[in-house]
Amino acid sequence: LEQQAIFSYSSLATAENLLKNALATDPGFVDAKLALARNYQMKFNTGKIDQSTAWRAMEPLLNQAQEERPGDPLARALKLSFEIMNLTAGTEADSREANLNELLSLLPKIPSDTWVRQRVATSLRWFDAFEESLRVTEAGLELDPLSAGLYSNQGQVYIQLERYEEAEAAFMRAIELEPDNPNFYSDMAKLAQETGRLALALDWNRKAIERDPQDHELVAQLAEALFRLGLTEEGSRWASRCYALAPQTAVCRKLQLEESKARKDPAKLLELATAMLADDVEERRWAYVSAMRTYTELMMEQG
């Protein structure tokens, strides 16, 4: 659970191995099955695996947990939280609100599971229910004042409410509690960008990468920012790392688009966008949308 809380590529892999070792010793250890299901969801959220892979791994574990411990609220909550975040897992858009209400009713039954609470708070932000998201987060912090993830969500809400000083305090508290978690450094980068401090945003992105050097999405985020600032060669140096780590992922293919735009190479841009659409690339970090937009713009320019 300690490794899971770090929430990096390498720590989630370590957590998975530890949980599987526990289940090899005791196949009926329901809490380990639920923790492993959560781990797959976290691997998807950080970009380590895709959505369908995560669900195929999670579903049988959740079914086993419900069979062995009928009515288990955490098993139900993990299923609902995944469905809310990912429409193709079996939930239509108009069902999200009903699932969210059910999740809210489950929170008092699983007070120690801050991961599900974070998912609920994040979903509330998607509904623009910022004050409700803040209420859910602060209720969780009363139960677990050392939850760095809840401080992170608190900061995200403060950004939406343009309460930037409070957002910074929340993110820094998260970093203080979990200095090895790369996501909180990314939070600070987002805040710095939101408040117009671009150099500082790049520096926070770099710090996130130092905490999780295998995460190609963090590298892509920094490279893309450099491309958009016109710092093409610097961006290419970081981009080469993404291409080496995970060349066929949607995020790295989207980064190739950004590099071709920065280099003003329309022929390469058309080739890349066409291939992404033909492959029906995953909609991860707006990769498919970027390919569609790029292709459309190029066709309009050609009349």
Side-chain angles (χ1 to χ4, degrees):
L1 293 176
E2 179 187 47
Q3 289 297 305
Q4 190 173 84
I6 293 172
F7 205 175
S8 68
Y9 270 36
S10 57
S11 72
L12 290 176
T14 301
E16 181 176 347
N17 287 333
L18 290 167
L19 291 165
K20 285 181 175 178
N21 285 339
L23 289 169
T25 303
D26 180 2
F29 190 3
V30 174
D31 288 341
K33 291 180 180 181
L34 293 173
L36 185 56
R38 184 196 299 113
N39 209 73
Y40 288 126
Q41 188 172 144
M42 294 174 79
K43 286 179 75 175
F44 165 67
N45 279 96
T46 199
K48 181 79 171 174
I49 57 177
D50 64 27
Q51 179 179 305
S52 59
T53 300
W55 184 243
R56 284 197 303 271
M58 287 176 62
E59 187 177 26
L61 290 167
L62 296 176
N63 289 341
Q64 288 176 38
Q66 288 177 320
E67 288 171 8
E68 294 164 23
R69 208 155 68 191
D72 187 279
L74 181 55
R76 177 63 177 163
L78 287 171
K79 181 177 188 292
L80 287 171
S81 67
F82 190 81
E83 289 181 346
I84 284 173
M85 303 295 278
N86 314 287
L87 287 176
T88 58
T91 300
E92 297 302 325
D94 58 4
S95 300
R96 269 184 170 167
E97 192 167 0
N99 284 1
L100 182 55
N101 288 333
E102 184 179 351
L103 263 177
L104 283 166
S105 72
L106 287 171
L107 288 180
K109 300 176 183 178
I110 49 171
S112 63
D113 197 279
T114 54
W115 168 256
V116 171
R117 186 175 288 272
Q118 289 172 53
R119 298 299 91 200
V120 172
T122 299
S123 298
L124 286 166
R125 294 206 320 265
W126 287 359
F127 283 103
D128 293 334
F130 301 123
E131 295 295 344
E132 178 70 0
S133 178
L134 200 57
R135 186 193 66 76
V136 168
T137 300
E138 290 174 349
L141 286 170
E142 288 181 9
L143 294 165
D144 183 3
L146 300 182
S147 171
L150 289 175
Y151 279 110
S152 172
N153 188 76
Q154 187 182 54
Q156 298 286 354
V157 176
Y158 284 146
I159 287 179
Q160 297 287 344
L161 298 175
E162 299 184 2
R163 293 161 60 176
Y164 299 124
E165 289 185 6
E166 291 167 282
E168 182 167 347
F171 293 149
M172 292 306 295
R173 178 60 174 149
I175 289 172
E176 179 187 358
L177 289 167
E178 290 182 16
D180 293 328
N181 190 317
N183 301 287
F184 306 141
Y185 297 85
S186 294
D187 288 340
M188 283 297 295
K190 177 182 178 181
L191 175 62
Q193 184 171 347
E194 189 77 17
T195 52
R197 297 171 291 173
L198 298 182
L200 186 60
L202 294 174
D203 197 45
W204 279 112
N205 275 325
R206 180 185 56 78
K207 290 177 181 178
I209 292 168
E210 288 173 355
R211 269 70 188 178
D212 197 3
Q214 295 179 30
D215 189 338
H216 68 279
E217 292 192 357
L218 293 175
V219 175
Q221 184 174 309
L222 178 55
E224 188 171 321
L226 290 165
F227 287 140
R228 292 184 175 181
L229 288 170
L231 301 171
T232 306
E233 297 310 315
E234 290 87 342
S236 293
R237 282 197 289 274
W238 285 100
S240 65
R241 191 168 177 181
C242 183
Y243 306 150
L245 287 169
Q248 285 305 308
T249 59
V251 170
C252 282
R253 294 180 73 177
K254 175 176 178 280
L255 184 60
Q256 288 181 301
L257 284 180
E258 295 298 334
E259 182 167 9
S260 296
K261 288 177 186 176
R263 294 190 179 280
K264 297 179 172 55
D265 187 347
K268 184 66 173 177
L269 204 53
L270 180 58
E271 176 190 335
L272 291 169
T274 303
M276 289 171 72
L277 295 175
D279 293 342
D280 195 23
V281 70
E282 182 188 6
E283 178 48 21
R284 176 77 184 175
R285 306 290 184 191
W286 305 283
Y288 187 89
V289 168
S290 295
M292 180 67 77
R293 183 183 294 121
T294 298
Y295 182 84
T296 304
E297 289 172 353
L298 288 168
M299 291 298 97
M300 289 175 68
E301 287 172 8
Q302 294 180 25

